[in-house]
Amino acid sequence: MAGQPEKKPQSVYDFSLKDATGNDVDLSIFKGKLNILIIICLVVYSGMTNSNYTELNQLYEKYKDQGLEILAFPCNQFGEEEPGTNDQILNFVCTRFKSDFPIFDKIEVNGENASPLYKFLKSGKWGIFGDDIQWNFAKFLVDKNGQVVDRYYPTTSPLTIEYHIPTTTTMAGQPEKKPESVYDFTLKDAKGNDVDLSTYKGKVLLIVNVAGLTDSNYKDLNHLHEKYKDQGLEILAFPCNQFGAQEPGSNDEIVEFACTRFKSEFPIFDKIEVNGENTSPLYKFLKSAKWGLLGDNIQWNFAKFLVDKNGQVSDRYYPTTSPLSMESVYLR
């Protein structure tokens, strides 16, 4: 069968496929050249098109010289959002988004005619509803040995994958090496002081993106903090104004609100972003560890991450989840 090796494939390097211009591409050409490989099924006409192409371009530009390659496979199986010819797809991708990564021949990723490459990829990592691809922009991360190491859902921002790319590049709040725990991060508190999260080693952390328009969450968080602060629980609050513009104030105003109105004593940090291009590196790490119901994005104010004593994310709670419901989890 076209694109399928005679023997059972052992890695993605065992496959040869056609690119969008009709040339045969033996994926073994990437062998030994890559630190990591992202394989994605993409489309032109989709609500997720702009953000995915823009972020894929950012990743590719930043890491292509450090061993990253992105392989894009057009697919028309989801909402018929990729009806065009290969020439039309190439023109759209290269003209509108200036993408430089390789675009391949249009394929099917599910069903009887699924590409042998995708059969291999799906057998390596299952999705939440089985092995089928759910929609456009599903992503597979492949290591330098050609093995699938992770699978990301269509709603997952490509920028979240950044933490799984081996690199020595630094950015604000991100360590030089790949972070292994929340203890690898240093962030500013609301007063502008650097806080090394390693100071919380050995404690259970509840990390929350907070905003001003709330009573129940602050009251419940205060209850947990007062009850368990001497037993090893710490609550870290990160103001964020991305949801309903409910946190528009300055750091001083936020601290005044939390400490005066609610008498909160837990640490309040500098205002950050938790979704999008400017997402705090800490939140990229948190979201990459635990998925939400609709992907990795934070849904609203007061999403919560529970971090164990080793700095690993042990659970994720939705904004509607009462902090008090975590009491039994913490006490286990």
Side-chain angles (χ1 to χ4, degrees), residues 239-251:
C240 178
N241 195 41
Q242 289 186 285
F243 308 102
Q246 292 182 351
E247 194 68 287
S250 66
N251 282 349

Side-chain angles (χ1 to χ4, degrees), residues 92-105:
F92 178 88
V93 174
C94 299
T95 301
R96 179 171 175 179
F97 291 104
K98 312 298 183 185
S99 299
D100 291 329
F101 47 79
I103 309 291
F104 284 77
D105 188 27

Side-chain angles (χ1 to χ4, degrees), residues 89-227:
I89 294 167
L90 278 175
N91 184 61
F92 178 88
V93 174
C94 299
T95 301
R96 179 171 175 179
F97 291 104
K98 312 298 183 185
S99 299
D100 291 329
F101 47 79
I103 309 291
F104 284 77
D105 188 27
K106 191 185 297 186
I107 62 170
E108 293 188 13
V109 297
N110 289 333
E112 182 180 348
N113 297 317
S115 162
L117 171 64
Y118 265 78
K119 289 180 180 178
F120 174 81
L121 294 171
K122 294 189 295 182
S123 70
K125 285 288 178 180
W126 295 77
I128 194 171
F129 299 114
D131 69 319
D132 272 358
I133 302 299
Q134 294 82 17
W135 200 255
N136 307 308
F137 294 105
K139 307 157 187 82
F140 288 90
L141 199 64
V142 178
D143 66 18
K144 61 184 178 181
N145 298 313
Q147 302 302 313
V148 178
V149 294
D150 220 332
R151 174 174 176 166
Y152 300 88
Y153 295 104
T155 50
T156 300
S157 161
L159 295 182
T160 301
I161 306 173
E162 185 171 17
Y163 275 112
H164 299 276
I165 301 173
T167 178
T168 56
T169 301
T170 60
M171 55 190 293
Q174 179 178 346
E176 290 187 3
K177 64 178 183 178
K178 175 184 171 183
E180 301 293 339
S181 75
V182 299
Y183 302 139
D184 292 330
F185 293 89
T186 295
L187 303 101
K188 292 204 179 282
D189 65 15
K191 296 181 180 179
N193 301 311
D194 288 327
V195 179
D196 189 332
L197 298 193
S198 65
T199 60
Y200 297 111
K201 267 187 179 178
K203 291 188 174 185
V204 172
L205 303 180
L206 182 59
I207 298 177
V208 188
N209 60 296
V210 299
L213 297 181
T214 180
D215 283 340
S216 61
N217 268 283
Y218 268 112
K219 289 177 182 177
D220 290 351
L221 288 169
N222 284 347
H223 172 82
L224 284 183
H225 186 254
E226 184 63 28
K227 188 170 183 179

